[in-house]
Amino acid sequence: MKTVGTGLKYLGLIVVLVLAAVPIYWLLSTSVTSPEKIFQFQWFPDGLNWQNYIDGWKSAPFGAMYKNSIIVTLAGALIQICVAILSSYAFAFLDFPGKRIVFLIFLGAMMVPGTVVLMPNFLTIAALGWVNSYAGIVIPGVGSVFAMFLLRQHMLTLSSEVTDAAKVDGANHLRILWHVVLPMSRPMVVTVIVVALVEKWNDFVWPLVSTSTDSMRTLPVGLLMIKDAQGFTNWGAVMASSVFIVVPVLIVFFIAQRQIIAGLTAGATKG
């Protein structure tokens, strides 16, 4: 009976692996397939057509879009992490009036679809003169309730004896956060950083709304420009352009996958 259960587990893992790997393989194989053979079924490409990558690169200003995506992603993720760490520490270790009510309001904000706040955010950055600027893309997204919630849940699992000992030694809250809490929360912090990086890198709607020139577009928005430029006749170039966007995310995930798994499993143990 135990052998059957183990076999079913491995079967389930294989199914999940296939479901995850097939779209990536299909993307990579289509990106090197000649346009006239894309709609013909074949397990492996009949020759490698690297011209798709050249056509895709020439269809949009990828150099400027890479620069914009890197700036927006790094700046947005850095500010978001700082805000999430400070707010989660406050909810986990500080006592202030209405803490529980404020936390519940924040949790309720997680249920609000992002499209609902598009118009208020746009009117705000328009009033500040930030339309079509890095500040206009980055600032509205620096607050993440999900990141704060994950970090707060993990901080609640930390031993109070360690933080109490630091207080006895005369450490203030910032020193406790920097020298005690953050080193003990490294897996969760790495998880939140990776989630923030992927979220900022893949964001499509807000950069599309808040920018108006090609020089300020990010990579996901650029993919739409490529589809319009190549039309529906050169899907190989569209797929090759998609590879430009996906590869950096996959590299970050493979590098930090152990920290991500450790952080997610550690953060779900205490409410």
Side-chain angles (χ1 to χ4, degrees), residues 132-147:
N132 205 39
S133 68
Y134 291 127
I137 302 175
V138 171
I139 297 302
V142 296
S144 173
V145 179
F146 178 69

Side-chain angles (χ1 to χ4, degrees), residues 60-70 72 131-134 137 203-225 228:
F62 265 100
M65 290 190 296
Y66 260 109
K67 183 192 72 174
N68 295 335
S69 287
I70 291 173
V72 169
V131 175
N132 205 39
S133 68
Y134 291 127
I137 302 175
D203 192 12
F204 170 77
V205 176
W206 180 246
L208 177 64
V209 172
S210 61
T211 58
S212 56
T213 61
D214 293 346
S215 61
M216 286 301 298
R217 301 293 195 189
T218 56
L219 284 170
V221 181
L223 189 60
L224 179 65
M225 298 165 55
D228 292 338

